[in-house]
Amino acid sequence: MSEQWLRTHCARFDHGGCGLKVLVRNGKPVKVLPDTEDPFSRGHCCAKGLASLERIDHPRRLTHPLKRKGRRGEGEWVKISWDEALDTLANRFLELKNRWGPESLAFLQGAPKGVEFFMAMRLANLLGCPHVGSSQHVCHMPREQMAMVTCGFFPVADLDSPTRCVVLWGSNPFRTNEEGVLGIHLRDCLKQNPVLIVIDPVENEPARRAHLHLRIRPGSDGLLALGFLHVILEENLHDDDFVQNWTTGFHELKAALAPYTPETVARGTWVEPRKIVEAARLYATSRPALIQWGNAIEHTVNSAQCCRSLVLLMALTGNLEVPGGNVRASAPRLKRLAEFLRLDHFPDRSRKLLNREHHLIPRLLTTPNWAIFQSIAEQGASTHSSAAIGGMYVQGANPMVSGPQAHLVKKGLMNLEFLAVADQVMTPTAALADLVLPVATNFEFNDMGHYGLPHGYVVARPKLVEPRGECRSDMDILNEWGKRMGFRDHFWNRPDDILEEILAPSGITYQEFAQRGVLRGPGKYFTYREKGFSTPSGKVELASSLLRKWGYASVPFYGNGDDFEVDEAFPLLLTSAKPKHFFHSAYRHLTGLRKRHPHPCVSMHPARAQELGLQAGEAVRVVSAAGEMVQRLSLTETIDPRVVVADYGWWFPEGLEKDLFHWDRANINCLTSAERPFDPIMGTNQLRAIPCRVEKAGNAPSG
Ligand code: SF4
């Protein structure tokens, strides 16, 4: 019997960052523990990481490539070889490309999990295909892009240095831990007892510990941020030295902030004026202070201006690039992303993006998924033309559940001539495919996490065991597919060669990387004192010259969301939460996680439930102007009686495939819309603060 403990990192349950120790016996992983020696996660590991073993051996796991036999969505498949699968992929994509051009193809992906995210973009660029759809317009890009135009880098919270004030803005790292290790770093940071300000519509765990909790009206974060800025400038609480020397546009910004008095902001945010003033003063005067901003602020039609306002707060208060503030995370020396993506092969790419038709910011590398589905749904099933998308490859994504306006997504998928989906299990999206490819989990191949992301580090995820059945990694699939598309010179002999090439500038091999576990860039502060800021003026642009050049307002404002007011038909405001035991729409098939959160739940204040004659635990229908869904009612006093908080990401793997696993029964995206208005810069849909009503449903949602 052979038995050894091996070290790797968790992945694909979120961006992944926690160190894991795995006991491998006779080639099988039998036990998973948190790695207490991991310098980054410091012994932290959540229930998802511990569920890694169930994920590997789950009976629902796809283990062979499958080709559709019956009609789309009927659930009839034949097993095929990888040779046939890869040939089918290559032939169908080449056939469409030769007939209609590369714009007839599309790639669609979920959150970046590993290098495969960028492999798909590389293949698209080599093909000259502009359509790489993703959720970046509602996840990270509003923060990243607005930071880039304002100060030239993505400011991350420096939780490792002493700080005097922590602001959690739309972020609960104890629950979603979005960058893998944030939660544990925050817990350690709070041990120094800094002032804690929490901005969240829910009185969550951090809010209960906070000195000040602003229980904000969902979706009004951008307005509140403008209120903070107004108070800080009116009371001269800004860092005058930094503003004088390192910013442009102060007077333009100050004039633009005049309307956002605490009283005006209070009306739109439900936060009392005195609390707005107190929080703004506390943040501005407790230096150093940091803002940990979360994905929730990127879910409204005001997402770009909200994110920009938070960067302005960091800058005006002198908290950019200071220890204990918001800092520039320098990346380790790795292959440059632009080179890896082969952007040089597709010089007119930005002119061909659908983003251009919608007048979105020209710097996005991907297209909002809704723009792709809208384009396909509008073109119809039988009217192909050179402008129409006919073939799609989906990896690590389940847009039937995670994309806005779920019925539009389904219509788009049904209109495709050819759909291939790579995933670990059959999902509602995979069930509509022509070809389904079984992918490996991170224990089954050498991988690297966080490459291409702006957090200043990468983690090694070395292979521990052989892949189950015939599963192959996403990287491996794309590498082989790319070669069959005629790009042999641009792909690699083995997937491991990809990792060696990315690591080459750092001078270490993958094996050495795996031993180290984590590669970090050098920690630096005040880099602007040597080189200035990477903006056109070399300073923090309080009034952005780039936004002005592209035809947007140069200073922030609030007002793209005027249409989202409640009325008699829809008197409540719906917001959403990601259940902490799942990742977006994934992993509801894992018993160990599902038993912790068995049903989709919508939360409401008990007083409002009583008024509506609703009981805890009963099935309720949530209805918006766009559609409806059913979830179980749960009661909580932690939210405002005018608000309901529903679970996001639900479908029922225990249901029948021919019913598409009841993809639309409890799916919050049946209530969202991909129509205008969206954020004019980023294309963000309104996913929070949706007017709705809640009523008795009768049937509990289940498979
Ligand atoms: S917090 Fe994220 S990286 Fe850590 S164990 Fe949980 S899912 Fe994995």
Side-chain angles (χ1 to χ4, degrees):
M1 185 176 78
S2 75
E3 186 175 277
Q4 56 181 332
W5 283 97
L6 299 173
R7 299 174 73 193
T8 189
H9 283 93
C10 176
R12 287 165 171 73
F13 282 115
D14 60 21
H15 287 309
C18 293
L20 302 177
K21 274 171 46 186
V22 183
L23 180 64
V24 177
R25 186 177 296 145
N26 298 331
K28 279 198 150 279
V30 292
K31 193 166 190 170
V32 176
L33 291 176
D35 185 350
T36 48
E37 286 161 49
D38 189 86
F40 233 40
S41 56
R42 306 169 193 167
H44 174 75
C45 172
C46 78
K48 289 185 282 184
L50 297 174
S52 300
L53 294 187
E54 189 188 353
R55 178 173 64 175
I56 289 188
D57 281 326
H58 199 280
R60 287 186 186 277
R61 179 109 189 255
L62 293 164
T63 51
H64 293 84
L66 300 172
K67 191 162 103 178
R68 179 161 64 82
K69 205 162 77 173
R71 287 212 309 253
R72 185 163 274 175
E74 278 186 344
E76 291 200 42
W77 304 96
V78 280
K79 285 183 187 169
I80 57 171
S81 68
W82 271 107
D83 242 2
E84 186 180 346
L86 291 166
D87 276 346
T88 305
L89 254 184
N91 293 341
R92 294 301 301 270
F93 261 55
L94 284 173
E95 196 183 294
L96 282 161
K97 177 176 176 267
N98 294 339
R99 205 165 6 126
W100 303 110
E103 283 156 54
S104 64
L105 309 173
F107 295 77
L108 199 103
Q109 5 196 19
K113 298 161 186 87
V115 175
E116 74 281 347
F117 190 86
F118 304 106
M119 293 275 291
M121 290 166 79
R122 179 183 174 99
L123 179 55
N125 288 335
L126 291 167
L127 279 163
C129 166
H131 306 311
V132 180
S134 84
S135 307
Q136 292 195 299
H137 60 299
V138 292
C139 186
H140 235 278
M141 273 305 131
R143 280 173 287 174
E144 267 185 53
Q145 292 296 336
M146 290 305 101
M148 293 308 287
V149 300
T150 305
C151 64
F153 69 94
F154 178 74
V156 296
D158 183 15
L159 294 165
D160 290 334
S161 301
T163 188
R164 292 188 57 222
C165 177
V166 171
V167 180
L168 295 183
W169 201 310
S171 172
N172 179 0
F174 295 161
R175 183 182 172 93
T176 56
N177 212 4
E178 64 178 66
E179 269 114 34
V181 291
L182 263 177
I184 194 71
H185 290 205
L186 176 65
R187 269 187 214 283
D188 286 350
C189 172
L190 293 182
K191 285 179 189 157
Q192 308 157 32
N193 203 24
V195 171
L196 175 61
I197 301 170
V198 173
I199 295 153
D200 200 299
V202 179
E203 192 191 316
N204 52 24
E205 185 194 338
R208 285 191 286 278
R209 295 172 60 162
H211 298 84
L212 206 51
H213 171 212
L214 309 190
R215 198 165 75 170
I216 188 173
R217 175 188 187 270
S220 65
D221 306 79
L223 181 57
L224 186 63
L226 291 167
F228 273 39
L229 287 166
H230 175 100
V231 171
I232 289 167
L233 294 198
E234 283 301 308
E235 299 190 4
N236 287 322
L237 301 177
H238 56 278
D239 181 332
D240 201 40
D241 189 47
F242 183 84
V243 168
Q244 297 266 356
N245 292 304
W246 291 107
T247 69
T248 62
F250 181 78
H251 295 291
E252 197 181 332
L253 174 68
K254 189 166 179 184
L257 293 172
Y260 300 100
T261 62
E263 292 70 28
T264 304
V265 170
R267 279 194 292 279
T269 59
W270 301 346
V271 179
E272 295 163 60
R274 68 164 182 87
K275 275 193 160 186
I276 296 170
V277 174
E278 190 186 348
R281 284 179 185 159
L282 267 176
Y283 170 67
T285 57
S286 316
R287 296 182 198 162
L290 62 85
I291 298 177
Q292 165 53 37
W293 47 0
N295 173 232
I297 63 171
E298 299 173 310
H299 289 170
T300 76
V301 297
N302 289 298
S303 73
Q305 299 299 356
C306 176
C307 295
R308 208 168 111 65
S309 298
L310 296 197
V311 183
L312 297 183
L313 278 171
M314 299 167 197
L316 285 165
T317 54
N319 281 306
L320 271 185
E321 290 224 63
V322 301
N326 283 87
V327 297
R328 180 198 297 255
S330 325
R333 284 170 57 84
L334 299 169
K335 189 177 181 77
R336 284 186 55 239
L337 187 62
E339 278 173 39
F340 187 82
L341 296 178
R342 298 313 309 253
L343 289 173
D344 56 319
H345 262 252
F346 195 7
D348 55 347
R349 183 180 180 280
S350 64
R351 280 198 297 110
K352 296 191 167 177
L353 293 175
L354 285 172
N355 304 0
R356 198 176 160 93
E357 281 178 25
H358 297 287
H359 190 55
L360 304 182
I361 187 170
R363 284 183 168 179
L364 289 176
L365 282 174
T366 59
T367 299
N369 49 15
W370 61 260
I372 289 189
F373 286 114
Q374 213 169 55
S375 164
I376 306 168
E378 277 167 12
Q379 77 206 13
S382 55
T383 53
H384 208 104
S385 71
S386 59
I389 296 169
M392 181 183 283
Y393 183 74
V394 177
Q395 72 175 3
N398 183 12
M400 288 272 283
V401 178
S402 57
Q405 200 170 334
H407 288 277
L408 173 85
V409 174
K410 185 180 177 211
K411 189 173 169 198
L413 292 173
M414 293 299 284
N415 278 356
L416 290 168
E417 279 189 50
F418 176 69
L419 171 65
V421 176
D423 214 318
Q424 292 174 18
V425 294
M426 191 61 79
T427 65
T429 302
L432 291 182
D434 301 278
L435 186 66
V436 175
L437 305 176
V439 303
T441 72
N442 54 298
F443 283 8
E444 298 166 322
F445 67 103
N446 287 327
D447 192 16
M448 174 189 288
H450 292 247
Y451 174 59
L453 307 186
H455 310 134
Y457 63 90
V458 287
V459 294
R461 299 174 185 145
K463 173 177 173 176
L464 307 181
V465 295
E466 289 305 315
R468 176 125 185 261
E470 294 184 16
C471 292
R472 291 171 85 151
S473 71
D474 288 296
M475 268 201 306
D476 187 11
I477 296 168
L478 285 159
N479 195 43
E480 290 308 310
W481 180 23
K483 287 189 268 191
R484 287 175 204 228
M485 295 291 282
F487 302 117
R488 193 156 284 279
D489 291 347
H490 299 286
F491 286 88
W492 295 261
N493 283 336
R494 306 166 310 141
D496 285 359
D497 297 338
I498 305 167
L499 301 171
E500 300 292 0
E501 188 170 318
I502 292 172
L503 282 166
S506 71
I508 61 169
T509 63
Y510 187 81
Q511 205 184 359
E512 288 162 329
F513 175 45
Q515 269 156 12
R516 290 195 204 180
V518 179
L519 262 195
R520 270 186 111 147
K524 287 187 190 161
Y525 300 104
F526 304 110
T527 60
Y528 62 86
R529 289 180 182 165
E530 283 163 38
K531 297 185 281 184
F533 288 94
S534 307
T535 59
S537 61
K539 298 189 173 184
V540 175
E541 298 204 350
L542 305 178
S544 165
S545 60
L546 284 172
L547 289 179
R548 187 183 297 120
K549 182 174 110 183
W550 294 326
Y552 309 116
S554 60
V555 284
F557 65 96
Y558 185 79
N560 299 320
D562 297 341
D563 299 333
F564 300 99
E565 293 299 329
V566 298
D567 58 23
E568 231 173 82
F570 303 113
L572 294 161
L573 273 186
L574 172 70
T575 187
S576 65
K578 301 181 186 100
K580 72 174 182 180
H581 293 111
F582 309 117
F583 183 45
H584 294 278
S585 70
Y587 302 123
R588 280 158 181 80
H589 63 289
L590 299 182
T591 316
L593 298 177
R594 185 70 179 274
K595 70 179 183 213
R596 292 165 182 260
H597 195 114
H599 314 292
C601 290
V602 55
S603 303
M604 177 183 269
H605 194 280
R608 182 51 74 108
Q610 193 179 19
E611 210 178 279
L612 295 171
L614 302 172
Q615 311 284 332
E618 76 172 302
V620 291
R621 181 174 295 108
V622 188
V623 188
S624 78
E628 61 181 57
M629 63 160 182
V630 175
Q631 298 196 350
R632 277 186 205 227
L633 186 65
S634 123
L635 301 182
T636 173
E637 292 184 352
T638 62
I639 55 174
D640 189 289
R642 293 164 285 185
V643 171
V644 288
V645 185
D647 275 1
Y648 151 83
W650 273 93
W651 57 286
F652 300 92
E654 64 273 28
L656 294 176
E657 189 180 331
K658 70 173 181 48
D659 296 329
L660 301 180
F661 307 105
H662 303 303
W663 66 286
D664 59 350
R665 185 175 284 179
N667 182 351
I668 194 169
N669 275 315
C670 292
L671 281 73
T672 58
S673 169
E675 306 296 330
R676 282 178 190 276
F678 44 77
D679 183 279
I681 301 177
M682 298 303 308
T684 310
N685 315 100
Q686 186 79 0
L687 305 179
R688 312 255 173 176
I690 299 169
C692 74
R693 66 171 179 271
V694 178
E695 57 199 26
K696 281 185 183 293
N699 288 319
S702 68

